[in-house]
Amino acid sequence: MDTEQLAGDMLKRKGLRNTSQRRAVLTALLGNPHSTASELEGRIGVGKPALSGLSRQGLYNVLEDLTKSQLIRCIEPAGSPARYELRVGDNHHHLVCRNCGRIEDVDCSVGVAPCLDPIDTKGFAVDEAEITWWGLCGDCRRFAGDARSQ
């Protein structure tokens, strides 16, 4: 099955219209997790009608639609633009490198959401906890000569 067909099937399962713009965004995220809107814009060819027929505002509308329908997940690490990924429906977290910005997925050790419970819910019905660990990735640690990278 090609990526266009896979994207179309994903849209169909969620009851969304199968548009070329939505397929383009889903296809651009395949193999490129944690992409920013700007990165997707470059990959898709936003603003170049012959490539995608998608404007910048159209891209943001598609990202919002796909996020609301839970086909993609939006994460917003501090100091970073919003990033989008196809990995949804599971309880995973992220490691973020403070130096190069690399982001890696980390499976939740508990496996079910929420994996943490607040001391006091203040009346909220908690259904998700998002964890981001910050540090230096192995490449940045080696470059910096960090003894902990050994």
Side-chain angles (χ1 to χ4, degrees), residues 26 29 32-35 40 67 70-75 83-88 90 92-94 103-105:
L26 291 171
L29 281 170
N32 299 293
H34 314 118
S35 294
L40 291 169
T67 301
Q70 298 180 335
L71 271 176
I72 64 174
R73 180 179 178 189
C74 177
I75 62 168
R83 295 177 174 273
Y84 300 89
E85 64 181 342
L86 289 171
R87 188 172 172 186
V88 297
D90 68 349
H92 75 278
H93 308 294
H94 297 95
I103 300 175
E104 293 291 337
D105 290 337

mmCIF file with all atom_site columns, all heavy atoms in Angstrom, residues 26 29 32-35 40 67 70-75 83-88 90 92-94 103-105:
data_model
loop_
_atom_site.group_PDB
_atom_site.id
_atom_site.type_symbol
_atom_site.label_atom_id
_atom_site.label_alt_id
_atom_site.label_comp_id
_atom_site.label_asym_id
_atom_site.label_entity_id
_atom_site.label_seq_id
_atom_site.pdbx_PDB_ins_code
_atom_site.Cartn_x
_atom_site.Cartn_y
_atom_site.Cartn_z
_atom_site.occupancy
_atom_site.B_iso_or_equiv
_atom_site.pdbx_formal_charge
_atom_site.auth_seq_id
_atom_site.auth_comp_id
_atom_site.auth_asym_id
_atom_site.auth_atom_id
_atom_site.pdbx_PDB_model_num
ATOM 1   N N   . LEU A 1 26  ? -0.395 14.209 6.150  1.00 0.00 ? 26  LEU A N   1
ATOM 2   C CA  . LEU A 1 26  ? -0.170 12.884 6.742  1.00 0.00 ? 26  LEU A CA  1
ATOM 3   C C   . LEU A 1 26  ? 1.033  12.208 6.108  1.00 0.00 ? 26  LEU A C   1
ATOM 4   O O   . LEU A 1 26  ? 1.877  11.622 6.800  1.00 0.00 ? 26  LEU A O   1
ATOM 5   C CB  . LEU A 1 26  ? -1.419 12.016 6.599  1.00 0.00 ? 26  LEU A CB  1
ATOM 6   C CG  . LEU A 1 26  ? -2.619 12.434 7.438  1.00 0.00 ? 26  LEU A CG  1
ATOM 7   C CD1 . LEU A 1 26  ? -3.860 11.628 7.053  1.00 0.00 ? 26  LEU A CD1 1
ATOM 8   C CD2 . LEU A 1 26  ? -2.323 12.297 8.930  1.00 0.00 ? 26  LEU A CD2 1
ATOM 9   N N   . LEU A 1 29  ? 4.302  13.562 7.345  1.00 0.00 ? 29  LEU A N   1
ATOM 10  C CA  . LEU A 1 29  ? 4.641  13.155 8.715  1.00 0.00 ? 29  LEU A CA  1
ATOM 11  C C   . LEU A 1 29  ? 5.154  11.715 8.787  1.00 0.00 ? 29  LEU A C   1
ATOM 12  O O   . LEU A 1 29  ? 5.815  11.354 9.757  1.00 0.00 ? 29  LEU A O   1
ATOM 13  C CB  . LEU A 1 29  ? 3.427  13.317 9.637  1.00 0.00 ? 29  LEU A CB  1
ATOM 14  C CG  . LEU A 1 29  ? 3.153  14.738 10.100 1.00 0.00 ? 29  LEU A CG  1
ATOM 15  C CD1 . LEU A 1 29  ? 1.801  14.828 10.789 1.00 0.00 ? 29  LEU A CD1 1
ATOM 16  C CD2 . LEU A 1 29  ? 4.262  15.233 11.018 1.00 0.00 ? 29  LEU A CD2 1
ATOM 17  N N   . ASN A 1 32  ? 8.768  11.177 9.580  1.00 0.00 ? 32  ASN A N   1
ATOM 18  C CA  . ASN A 1 32  ? 9.289  12.465 10.050 1.00 0.00 ? 32  ASN A CA  1
ATOM 19  C C   . ASN A 1 32  ? 8.562  12.912 11.311 1.00 0.00 ? 32  ASN A C   1
ATOM 20  O O   . ASN A 1 32  ? 7.886  13.941 11.310 1.00 0.00 ? 32  ASN A O   1
ATOM 21  C CB  . ASN A 1 32  ? 9.129  13.528 8.947  1.00 0.00 ? 32  ASN A CB  1
ATOM 22  C CG  . ASN A 1 32  ? 9.898  13.176 7.711  1.00 0.00 ? 32  ASN A CG  1
ATOM 23  O OD1 . ASN A 1 32  ? 11.117 13.156 7.716  1.00 0.00 ? 32  ASN A OD1 1
ATOM 24  N ND2 . ASN A 1 32  ? 9.187  12.876 6.640  1.00 0.00 ? 32  ASN A ND2 1
ATOM 25  N N   . PRO A 1 33  ? 8.665  12.134 12.389 1.00 0.00 ? 33  PRO A N   1
ATOM 26  C CA  . PRO A 1 33  ? 7.949  12.519 13.614 1.00 0.00 ? 33  PRO A CA  1
ATOM 27  C C   . PRO A 1 33  ? 8.501  13.813 14.191 1.00 0.00 ? 33  PRO A C   1
ATOM 28  O O   . PRO A 1 33  ? 9.653  14.173 13.926 1.00 0.00 ? 33  PRO A O   1
ATOM 29  C CB  . PRO A 1 33  ? 8.202  11.348 14.553 1.00 0.00 ? 33  PRO A CB  1
ATOM 30  C CG  . PRO A 1 33  ? 9.484  10.751 14.072 1.00 0.00 ? 33  PRO A CG  1
ATOM 31  C CD  . PRO A 1 33  ? 9.498  10.954 12.585 1.00 0.00 ? 33  PRO A CD  1
ATOM 32  N N   . HIS A 1 34  ? 7.697  14.493 14.940 1.00 0.00 ? 34  HIS A N   1
ATOM 33  C CA  . HIS A 1 34  ? 8.059  15.710 15.659 1.00 0.00 ? 34  HIS A CA  1
ATOM 34  C C   . HIS A 1 34  ? 8.390  16.857 14.710 1.00 0.00 ? 34  HIS A C   1
ATOM 35  O O   . HIS A 1 34  ? 9.234  17.697 14.989 1.00 0.00 ? 34  HIS A O   1
ATOM 36  C CB  . HIS A 1 34  ? 9.210  15.448 16.644 1.00 0.00 ? 34  HIS A CB  1
ATOM 37  C CG  . HIS A 1 34  ? 9.015  14.214 17.460 1.00 0.00 ? 34  HIS A CG  1
ATOM 38  N ND1 . HIS A 1 34  ? 9.878  13.149 17.408 1.00 0.00 ? 34  HIS A ND1 1
ATOM 39  C CD2 . HIS A 1 34  ? 8.017  13.841 18.290 1.00 0.00 ? 34  HIS A CD2 1
ATOM 40  C CE1 . HIS A 1 34  ? 9.439  12.185 18.193 1.00 0.00 ? 34  HIS A CE1 1
ATOM 41  N NE2 . HIS A 1 34  ? 8.306  12.584 18.746 1.00 0.00 ? 34  HIS A NE2 1
ATOM 42  N N   . SER A 1 35  ? 7.700  16.914 13.579 1.00 0.00 ? 35  SER A N   1
ATOM 43  C CA  . SER A 1 35  ? 7.896  17.973 12.598 1.00 0.00 ? 35  SER A CA  1
ATOM 44  C C   . SER A 1 35  ? 7.173  19.245 13.019 1.00 0.00 ? 35  SER A C   1
ATOM 45  O O   . SER A 1 35  ? 6.065  19.200 13.542 1.00 0.00 ? 35  SER A O   1
ATOM 46  C CB  . SER A 1 35  ? 7.344  17.542 11.234 1.00 0.00 ? 35  SER A CB  1
ATOM 47  O OG  . SER A 1 35  ? 8.083  16.466 10.699 1.00 0.00 ? 35  SER A OG  1
ATOM 48  N N   . LEU A 1 40  ? 7.008  20.984 7.782  1.00 0.00 ? 40  LEU A N   1
ATOM 49  C CA  . LEU A 1 40  ? 5.978  20.397 6.926  1.00 0.00 ? 40  LEU A CA  1
ATOM 50  C C   . LEU A 1 40  ? 5.734  21.274 5.701  1.00 0.00 ? 40  LEU A C   1
ATOM 51  O O   . LEU A 1 40  ? 5.572  20.775 4.585  1.00 0.00 ? 40  LEU A O   1
ATOM 52  C CB  . LEU A 1 40  ? 4.675  20.211 7.707  1.00 0.00 ? 40  LEU A CB  1
ATOM 53  C CG  . LEU A 1 40  ? 4.710  19.138 8.795  1.00 0.00 ? 40  LEU A CG  1
ATOM 54  C CD1 . LEU A 1 40  ? 3.473  19.227 9.667  1.00 0.00 ? 40  LEU A CD1 1
ATOM 55  C CD2 . LEU A 1 40  ? 4.858  17.756 8.186  1.00 0.00 ? 40  LEU A CD2 1
ATOM 56  N N   . THR A 1 67  ? -5.429 17.172 14.322 1.00 0.00 ? 67  THR A N   1
ATOM 57  C CA  . THR A 1 67  ? -5.180 17.064 15.762 1.00 0.00 ? 67  THR A CA  1
ATOM 58  C C   . THR A 1 67  ? -6.491 16.828 16.515 1.00 0.00 ? 67  THR A C   1
ATOM 59  O O   . THR A 1 67  ? -6.572 15.944 17.372 1.00 0.00 ? 67  THR A O   1
ATOM 60  C CB  . THR A 1 67  ? -4.477 18.329 16.295 1.00 0.00 ? 67  THR A CB  1
ATOM 61  O OG1 . THR A 1 67  ? -3.237 18.504 15.605 1.00 0.00 ? 67  THR A OG1 1
ATOM 62  C CG2 . THR A 1 67  ? -4.204 18.222 17.790 1.00 0.00 ? 67  THR A CG2 1
ATOM 63  N N   . GLN A 1 70  ? -7.704 13.413 16.309 1.00 0.00 ? 70  GLN A N   1
ATOM 64  C CA  . GLN A 1 70  ? -6.728 12.498 16.902 1.00 0.00 ? 70  GLN A CA  1
ATOM 65  C C   . GLN A 1 70  ? -6.042 11.604 15.870 1.00 0.00 ? 70  GLN A C   1
ATOM 66  O O   . GLN A 1 70  ? -5.654 10.486 16.167 1.00 0.00 ? 70  GLN A O   1
ATOM 67  C CB  . GLN A 1 70  ? -7.357 11.678 18.027 1.00 0.00 ? 70  GLN A CB  1
ATOM 68  C CG  . GLN A 1 70  ? -7.842 12.554 19.157 1.00 0.00 ? 70  GLN A CG  1
ATOM 69  C CD  . GLN A 1 70  ? -8.479 11.772 20.284 1.00 0.00 ? 70  GLN A CD  1
ATOM 70  O OE1 . GLN A 1 70  ? -8.989 10.671 20.103 1.00 0.00 ? 70  GLN A OE1 1
ATOM 71  N NE2 . GLN A 1 70  ? -8.450 12.345 21.469 1.00 0.00 ? 70  GLN A NE2 1
ATOM 72  N N   . LEU A 1 71  ? -5.860 12.128 14.665 1.00 0.00 ? 71  LEU A N   1
ATOM 73  C CA  . LEU A 1 71  ? -5.036 11.432 13.667 1.00 0.00 ? 71  LEU A CA  1
ATOM 74  C C   . LEU A 1 71  ? -3.572 11.791 13.859 1.00 0.00 ? 71  LEU A C   1
ATOM 75  O O   . LEU A 1 71  ? -2.685 11.030 13.503 1.00 0.00 ? 71  LEU A O   1
ATOM 76  C CB  . LEU A 1 71  ? -5.462 11.812 12.249 1.00 0.00 ? 71  LEU A CB  1
ATOM 77  C CG  . LEU A 1 71  ? -6.553 10.951 11.647 1.00 0.00 ? 71  LEU A CG  1
ATOM 78  C CD1 . LEU A 1 71  ? -6.963 11.463 10.282 1.00 0.00 ? 71  LEU A CD1 1
ATOM 79  C CD2 . LEU A 1 71  ? -6.111 9.500  11.550 1.00 0.00 ? 71  LEU A CD2 1
ATOM 80  N N   . ILE A 1 72  ? -3.320 12.996 14.399 1.00 0.00 ? 72  ILE A N   1
ATOM 81  C CA  . ILE A 1 72  ? -1.961 13.408 14.732 1.00 0.00 ? 72  ILE A CA  1
ATOM 82  C C   . ILE A 1 72  ? -1.969 13.982 16.142 1.00 0.00 ? 72  ILE A C   1
ATOM 83  O O   . ILE A 1 72  ? -3.022 14.318 16.680 1.00 0.00 ? 72  ILE A O   1
ATOM 84  C CB  . ILE A 1 72  ? -1.381 14.436 13.731 1.00 0.00 ? 72  ILE A CB  1
ATOM 85  C CG1 . ILE A 1 72  ? -2.168 15.751 13.759 1.00 0.00 ? 72  ILE A CG1 1
ATOM 86  C CG2 . ILE A 1 72  ? -1.322 13.849 12.324 1.00 0.00 ? 72  ILE A CG2 1
ATOM 87  C CD1 . ILE A 1 72  ? -1.553 16.852 12.889 1.00 0.00 ? 72  ILE A CD1 1
ATOM 88  N N   . ARG A 1 73  ? -0.802 14.081 16.717 1.00 0.00 ? 73  ARG A N   1
ATOM 89  C CA  . ARG A 1 73  ? -0.648 14.630 18.066 1.00 0.00 ? 73  ARG A CA  1
ATOM 90  C C   . ARG A 1 73  ? 0.234  15.863 17.976 1.00 0.00 ? 73  ARG A C   1
ATOM 91  O O   . ARG A 1 73  ? 1.229  15.871 17.262 1.00 0.00 ? 73  ARG A O   1
ATOM 92  C CB  . ARG A 1 73  ? -0.003 13.587 18.962 1.00 0.00 ? 73  ARG A CB  1
ATOM 93  C CG  . ARG A 1 73  ? 0.206  14.038 20.393 1.00 0.00 ? 73  ARG A CG  1
ATOM 94  C CD  . ARG A 1 73  ? 0.832  12.919 21.204 1.00 0.00 ? 73  ARG A CD  1
ATOM 95  N NE  . ARG A 1 73  ? 1.087  13.334 22.566 1.00 0.00 ? 73  ARG A NE  1
ATOM 96  C CZ  . ARG A 1 73  ? 1.773  12.628 23.439 1.00 0.00 ? 73  ARG A CZ  1
ATOM 97  N NH1 . ARG A 1 73  ? 2.273  11.452 23.078 1.00 0.00 ? 73  ARG A NH1 1
ATOM 98  N NH2 . ARG A 1 73  ? 1.966  13.056 24.655 1.00 0.00 ? 73  ARG A NH2 1
ATOM 99  N N   . CYS A 1 74  ? -0.144 16.884 18.689 1.00 0.00 ? 74  CYS A N   1
ATOM 100 C CA  . CYS A 1 74  ? 0.646  18.109 18.776 1.00 0.00 ? 74  CYS A CA  1
ATOM 101 C C   . CYS A 1 74  ? 1.335  18.130 20.135 1.00 0.00 ? 74  CYS A C   1
ATOM 102 O O   . CYS A 1 74  ? 0.683  17.944 21.169 1.00 0.00 ? 74  CYS A O   1
ATOM 103 C CB  . CYS A 1 74  ? -0.262 19.327 18.634 1.00 0.00 ? 74  CYS A CB  1
ATOM 104 S SG  . CYS A 1 74  ? 0.599  20.904 18.812 1.00 0.00 ? 74  CYS A SG  1
ATOM 105 N N   . ILE A 1 75  ? 2.660  18.316 20.108 1.00 0.00 ? 75  ILE A N   1
ATOM 106 C CA  . ILE A 1 75  ? 3.393  18.486 21.363 1.00 0.00 ? 75  ILE A CA  1
ATOM 107 C C   . ILE A 1 75  ? 4.050  19.860 21.322 1.00 0.00 ? 75  ILE A C   1
ATOM 108 O O   . ILE A 1 75  ? 4.369  20.365 20.249 1.00 0.00 ? 75  ILE A O   1
ATOM 109 C CB  . ILE A 1 75  ? 4.441  17.368 21.607 1.00 0.00 ? 75  ILE A CB  1
ATOM 110 C CG1 . ILE A 1 75  ? 5.502  17.367 20.517 1.00 0.00 ? 75  ILE A CG1 1
ATOM 111 C CG2 . ILE A 1 75  ? 3.764  16.020 21.723 1.00 0.00 ? 75  ILE A CG2 1
ATOM 112 C CD1 . ILE A 1 75  ? 6.704  16.499 20.831 1.00 0.00 ? 75  ILE A CD1 1
ATOM 113 N N   . ARG A 1 83  ? 5.060  20.891 17.549 1.00 0.00 ? 83  ARG A N   1
ATOM 114 C CA  . ARG A 1 83  ? 5.541  19.801 16.698 1.00 0.00 ? 83  ARG A CA  1
ATOM 115 C C   . ARG A 1 83  ? 4.426  18.773 16.575 1.00 0.00 ? 83  ARG A C   1
ATOM 116 O O   . ARG A 1 83  ? 3.615  18.620 17.480 1.00 0.00 ? 83  ARG A O   1
ATOM 117 C CB  . ARG A 1 83  ? 6.798  19.181 17.298 1.00 0.00 ? 83  ARG A CB  1
ATOM 118 C CG  . ARG A 1 83  ? 7.934  20.189 17.309 1.00 0.00 ? 83  ARG A CG  1
ATOM 119 C CD  . ARG A 1 83  ? 9.181  19.644 17.969 1.00 0.00 ? 83  ARG A CD  1
ATOM 120 N NE  . ARG A 1 83  ? 10.261 20.585 17.825 1.00 0.00 ? 83  ARG A NE  1
ATOM 121 C CZ  . ARG A 1 83  ? 11.080 20.637 16.782 1.00 0.00 ? 83  ARG A CZ  1
ATOM 122 N NH1 . ARG A 1 83  ? 10.927 19.796 15.785 1.00 0.00 ? 83  ARG A NH1 1
ATOM 123 N NH2 . ARG A 1 83  ? 12.045 21.523 16.733 1.00 0.00 ? 83  ARG A NH2 1
ATOM 124 N N   . TYR A 1 84  ? 4.431  18.076 15.458 1.00 0.00 ? 84  TYR A N   1
ATOM 125 C CA  . TYR A 1 84  ? 3.352  17.149 15.147 1.00 0.00 ? 84  TYR A CA  1
ATOM 126 C C   . TYR A 1 84  ? 3.912  15.761 14.880 1.00 0.00 ? 84  TYR A C   1
ATOM 127 O O   . TYR A 1 84  ? 4.995  15.610 14.317 1.00 0.00 ? 84  TYR A O   1
ATOM 128 C CB  . TYR A 1 84  ? 2.561  17.650 13.934 1.00 0.00 ? 84  TYR A CB  1
ATOM 129 C CG  . TYR A 1 84  ? 1.960  18.999 14.198 1.00 0.00 ? 84  TYR A CG  1
ATOM 130 C CD1 . TYR A 1 84  ? 2.668  20.170 13.916 1.00 0.00 ? 84  TYR A CD1 1
ATOM 131 C CD2 . TYR A 1 84  ? 0.702  19.121 14.779 1.00 0.00 ? 84  TYR A CD2 1
ATOM 132 C CE1 . TYR A 1 84  ? 2.128  21.420 14.190 1.00 0.00 ? 84  TYR A CE1 1
ATOM 133 C CE2 . TYR A 1 84  ? 0.158  20.362 15.053 1.00 0.00 ? 84  TYR A CE2 1
ATOM 134 C CZ  . TYR A 1 84  ? 0.883  21.510 14.755 1.00 0.00 ? 84  TYR A CZ  1
ATOM 135 O OH  . TYR A 1 84  ? 0.343  22.732 15.040 1.00 0.00 ? 84  TYR A OH  1
ATOM 136 N N   . GLU A 1 85  ? 3.148  14.752 15.307 1.00 0.00 ? 85  GLU A N   1
ATOM 137 C CA  . GLU A 1 85  ? 3.551  13.367 15.094 1.00 0.00 ? 85  GLU A CA  1
ATOM 138 C C   . GLU A 1 85  ? 2.329  12.506 14.833 1.00 0.00 ? 85  GLU A C   1
ATOM 139 O O   . GLU A 1 85  ? 1.221  12.849 15.223 1.00 0.00 ? 85  GLU A O   1
ATOM 140 C CB  . GLU A 1 85  ? 4.349  12.843 16.291 1.00 0.00 ? 85  GLU A CB  1
ATOM 141 C CG  . GLU A 1 85  ? 3.569  12.782 17.585 1.00 0.00 ? 85  GLU A CG  1
ATOM 142 C CD  . GLU A 1 85  ? 4.399  12.289 18.760 1.00 0.00 ? 85  GLU A CD  1
ATOM 143 O OE1 . GLU A 1 85  ? 5.460  11.680 18.554 1.00 0.00 ? 85  GLU A OE1 1
ATOM 144 O OE2 . GLU A 1 85  ? 3.971  12.519 19.903 1.00 0.00 ? 85  GLU A OE2 1
ATOM 145 N N   . LEU A 1 86  ? 2.570  11.380 14.181 1.00 0.00 ? 86  LEU A N   1
ATOM 146 C CA  . LEU A 1 86  ? 1.495  10.432 13.878 1.00 0.00 ? 86  LEU A CA  1
ATOM 147 C C   . LEU A 1 86  ? 1.239  9.465  15.030 1.00 0.00 ? 86  LEU A C   1
ATOM 148 O O   . LEU A 1 86  ? 0.207  8.805  15.045 1.00 0.00 ? 86  LEU A O   1
ATOM 149 C CB  . LEU A 1 86  ? 1.834  9.626  12.622 1.00 0.00 ? 86  LEU A CB  1
ATOM 150 C CG  . LEU A 1 86  ? 1.774  10.397 11.307 1.00 0.00 ? 86  LEU A CG  1
ATOM 151 C CD1 . LEU A 1 86  ? 2.346  9.557  10.173 1.00 0.00 ? 86  LEU A CD1 1
ATOM 152 C CD2 . LEU A 1 86  ? 0.352  10.810 10.997 1.00 0.00 ? 86  LEU A CD2 1
ATOM 153 N N   . ARG A 1 87  ? 2.149  9.375  15.958 1.00 0.00 ? 87  ARG A N   1
ATOM 154 C CA  . ARG A 1 87  ? 1.996  8.419  17.054 1.00 0.00 ? 87  ARG A CA  1
ATOM 155 C C   . ARG A 1 87  ? 0.960  8.950  18.043 1.00 0.00 ? 87  ARG A C   1
ATOM 156 O O   . ARG A 1 87  ? 1.229  9.841  18.845 1.00 0.00 ? 87  ARG A O   1
ATOM 157 C CB  . ARG A 1 87  ? 3.340  8.182  17.741 1.00 0.00 ? 87  ARG A CB  1
ATOM 158 C CG  . ARG A 1 87  ? 3.270  7.064  18.753 1.00 0.00 ? 87  ARG A CG  1
ATOM 159 C CD  . ARG A 1 87  ? 4.624  6.694  19.306 1.00 0.00 ? 87  ARG A CD  1
ATOM 160 N NE  . ARG A 1 87  ? 4.453  5.745  20.393 1.00 0.00 ? 87  ARG A NE  1
ATOM 161 C CZ  . ARG A 1 87  ? 5.431  5.313  21.159 1.00 0.00 ? 87  ARG A CZ  1
ATOM 162 N NH1 . ARG A 1 87  ? 6.673  5.715  20.947 1.00 0.00 ? 87  ARG A NH1 1
ATOM 163 N NH2 . ARG A 1 87  ? 5.185  4.470  22.131 1.00 0.00 ? 87  ARG A NH2 1
ATOM 164 N N   . VAL A 1 88  ? -0.236 8.403  17.953 1.00 0.00 ? 88  VAL A N   1
ATOM 165 C CA  . VAL A 1 88  ? -1.344 8.806  18.822 1.00 0.00 ? 88  VAL A CA  1
ATOM 166 C C   . VAL A 1 88  ? -1.964 7.559  19.442 1.00 0.00 ? 88  VAL A C   1
ATOM 167 O O   . VAL A 1 88  ? -1.692 6.441  19.024 1.00 0.00 ? 88  VAL A O   1
ATOM 168 C CB  . VAL A 1 88  ? -2.428 9.585  18.035 1.00 0.00 ? 88  VAL A CB  1
ATOM 169 C CG1 . VAL A 1 88  ? -1.881 10.878 17.485 1.00 0.00 ? 88  VAL A CG1 1
ATOM 170 C CG2 . VAL A 1 88  ? -3.011 8.746  16.919 1.00 0.00 ? 88  VAL A CG2 1
ATOM 171 N N   . ASP A 1 90  ? -1.562 6.140  22.225 1.00 0.00 ? 90  ASP A N   1
ATOM 172 C CA  . ASP A 1 90  ? -0.815 5.402  23.240 1.00 0.00 ? 90  ASP A CA  1
ATOM 173 C C   . ASP A 1 90  ? -0.328 6.412  24.279 1.00 0.00 ? 90  ASP A C   1
ATOM 174 O O   . ASP A 1 90  ? -0.518 7.606  24.123 1.00 0.00 ? 90  ASP A O   1
ATOM 175 C CB  . ASP A 1 90  ? 0.357  4.618  22.630 1.00 0.00 ? 90  ASP A CB  1
ATOM 176 C CG  . ASP A 1 90  ? 1.461  5.513  22.090 1.00 0.00 ? 90  ASP A CG  1
ATOM 177 O OD1 . ASP A 1 90  ? 1.249  6.739  21.989 1.00 0.00 ? 90  ASP A OD1 1
ATOM 178 O OD2 . ASP A 1 90  ? 2.528  5.009  21.764 1.00 0.00 ? 90  ASP A OD2 1
ATOM 179 N N   . HIS A 1 92  ? 2.766  7.750  25.482 1.00 0.00 ? 92  HIS A N   1
ATOM 180 C CA  . HIS A 1 92  ? 4.220  7.870  25.405 1.00 0.00 ? 92  HIS A CA  1
ATOM 181 C C   . HIS A 1 92  ? 4.636  9.296  25.735 1.00 0.00 ? 92  HIS A C   1
ATOM 182 O O   . HIS A 1 92  ? 3.825  10.216 25.732 1.00 0.00 ? 92  HIS A O   1
ATOM 183 C CB  . HIS A 1 92  ? 4.750  7.435  24.031 1.00 0.00 ? 92  HIS A CB  1
ATOM 184 C CG  . HIS A 1 92  ? 4.517  8.416  22.933 1.00 0.00 ? 92  HIS A CG  1
ATOM 185 N ND1 . HIS A 1 92  ? 3.326  8.513  22.253 1.00 0.00 ? 92  HIS A ND1 1
ATOM 186 C CD2 . HIS A 1 92  ? 5.336  9.343  22.386 1.00 0.00 ? 92  HIS A CD2 1
ATOM 187 C CE1 . HIS A 1 92  ? 3.431  9.448  21.323 1.00 0.00 ? 92  HIS A CE1 1
ATOM 188 N NE2 . HIS A 1 92  ? 4.632  9.981  21.391 1.00 0.00 ? 92  HIS A NE2 1
ATOM 189 N N   . HIS A 1 93  ? 5.906  9.450  26.018 1.00 0.00 ? 93  HIS A N   1
ATOM 190 C CA  . HIS A 1 93  ? 6.460  10.722 26.452 1.00 0.00 ? 93  HIS A CA  1
ATOM 191 C C   . HIS A 1 93  ? 7.638  11.078 25.550 1.00 0.00 ? 93  HIS A C   1
ATOM 192 O O   . HIS A 1 93  ? 7.882  10.404 24.552 1.00 0.00 ? 93  HIS A O   1
ATOM 193 C CB  . HIS A 1 93  ? 6.874  10.629 27.917 1.00 0.00 ? 93  HIS A CB  1
ATOM 194 C CG  . HIS A 1 93  ? 5.770  10.118 28.790 1.00 0.00 ? 93  HIS A CG  1
ATOM 195 N ND1 . HIS A 1 93  ? 4.601  10.820 28.996 1.00 0.00 ? 93  HIS A ND1 1
ATOM 196 C CD2 . HIS A 1 93  ? 5.626  8.956  29.468 1.00 0.00 ? 93  HIS A CD2 1
ATOM 197 C CE1 . HIS A 1 93  ? 3.802  10.118 29.791 1.00 0.00 ? 93  HIS A CE1 1
ATOM 198 N NE2 . HIS A 1 93  ? 4.397  8.983  30.083 1.00 0.00 ? 93  HIS A NE2 1
ATOM 199 N N   . HIS A 1 94  ? 8.385  12.120 25.925 1.00 0.00 ? 94  HIS A N   1
ATOM 200 C CA  . HIS A 1 94  ? 9.449  12.596 25.052 1.00 0.00 ? 94  HIS A CA  1
ATOM 201 C C   . HIS A 1 94  ? 10.713 12.966 25.813 1.00 0.00 ? 94  HIS A C   1
ATOM 202 O O   . HIS A 1 94  ? 10.648 13.473 26.930 1.00 0.00 ? 94  HIS A O   1
ATOM 203 C CB  . HIS A 1 94  ? 8.964  13.812 24.254 1.00 0.00 ? 94  HIS A CB  1
ATOM 204 C CG  . HIS A 1 94  ? 7.825  13.474 23.363 1.00 0.00 ? 94  HIS A CG  1
ATOM 205 N ND1 . HIS A 1 94  ? 6.511  13.658 23.728 1.00 0.00 ? 94  HIS A ND1 1
ATOM 206 C CD2 . HIS A 1 94  ? 7.797  12.915 22.129 1.00 0.00 ? 94  HIS A CD2 1
ATOM 207 C CE1 . HIS A 1 94  ? 5.723  13.240 22.748 1.00 0.00 ? 94  HIS A CE1 1
ATOM 208 N NE2 . HIS A 1 94  ? 6.476  12.780 21.773 1.00 0.00 ? 94  HIS A NE2 1
ATOM 209 N N   . ILE A 1 103 ? 14.289 15.270 19.404 1.00 0.00 ? 103 ILE A N   1
ATOM 210 C CA  . ILE A 1 103 ? 13.208 14.734 20.238 1.00 0.00 ? 103 ILE A CA  1
ATOM 211 C C   . ILE A 1 103 ? 13.081 13.245 19.962 1.00 0.00 ? 103 ILE A C   1
ATOM 212 O O   . ILE A 1 103 ? 13.060 12.820 18.806 1.00 0.00 ? 103 ILE A O   1
ATOM 213 C CB  . ILE A 1 103 ? 11.866 15.434 19.948 1.00 0.00 ? 103 ILE A CB  1
ATOM 214 C CG1 . ILE A 1 103 ? 11.977 16.934 20.236 1.00 0.00 ? 103 ILE A CG1 1
ATOM 215 C CG2 . ILE A 1 103 ? 10.743 14.803 20.765 1.00 0.00 ? 103 ILE A CG2 1
ATOM 216 C CD1 . ILE A 1 103 ? 10.733 17.717 19.866 1.00 0.00 ? 103 ILE A CD1 1
ATOM 217 N N   . GLU A 1 104 ? 12.989 12.475 21.008 1.00 0.00 ? 104 GLU A N   1
ATOM 218 C CA  . GLU A 1 104 ? 12.800 11.024 20.904 1.00 0.00 ? 104 GLU A CA  1
ATOM 219 C C   . GLU A 1 104 ? 11.588 10.614 21.713 1.00 0.00 ? 104 GLU A C   1
ATOM 220 O O   . GLU A 1 104 ? 11.321 11.167 22.780 1.00 0.00 ? 104 GLU A O   1
ATOM 221 C CB  . GLU A 1 104 ? 14.033 10.272 21.425 1.00 0.00 ? 104 GLU A CB  1
ATOM 222 C CG  . GLU A 1 104 ? 15.275 10.449 20.583 1.00 0.00 ? 104 GLU A CG  1
ATOM 223 C CD  . GLU A 1 104 ? 15.193 9.772  19.231 1.00 0.00 ? 104 GLU A CD  1
ATOM 224 O OE1 . GLU A 1 104 ? 14.404 8.820  19.070 1.00 0.00 ? 104 GLU A OE1 1
ATOM 225 O OE2 . GLU A 1 104 ? 15.921 10.207 18.320 1.00 0.00 ? 104 GLU A OE2 1
ATOM 226 N N   . ASP A 1 105 ? 10.860 9.635  21.199 1.00 0.00 ? 105 ASP A N   1
ATOM 227 C CA  . ASP A 1 105 ? 9.725  9.068  21.926 1.00 0.00 ? 105 ASP A CA  1
ATOM 228 C C   . ASP A 1 105 ? 10.229 8.113  22.998 1.00 0.00 ? 105 ASP A C   1
ATOM 229 O O   . ASP A 1 105 ? 11.235 7.427  22.811 1.00 0.00 ? 105 ASP A O   1
ATOM 230 C CB  . ASP A 1 105 ? 8.814  8.272  20.983 1.00 0.00 ? 105 ASP A CB  1
ATOM 231 C CG  . ASP A 1 105 ? 8.058  9.159  20.011 1.00 0.00 ? 105 ASP A CG  1
ATOM 232 O OD1 . ASP A 1 105 ? 7.884  10.356 20.300 1.00 0.00 ? 105 ASP A OD1 1
ATOM 233 O OD2 . ASP A 1 105 ? 7.628  8.648  18.971 1.00 0.00 ? 105 ASP A OD2 1
#
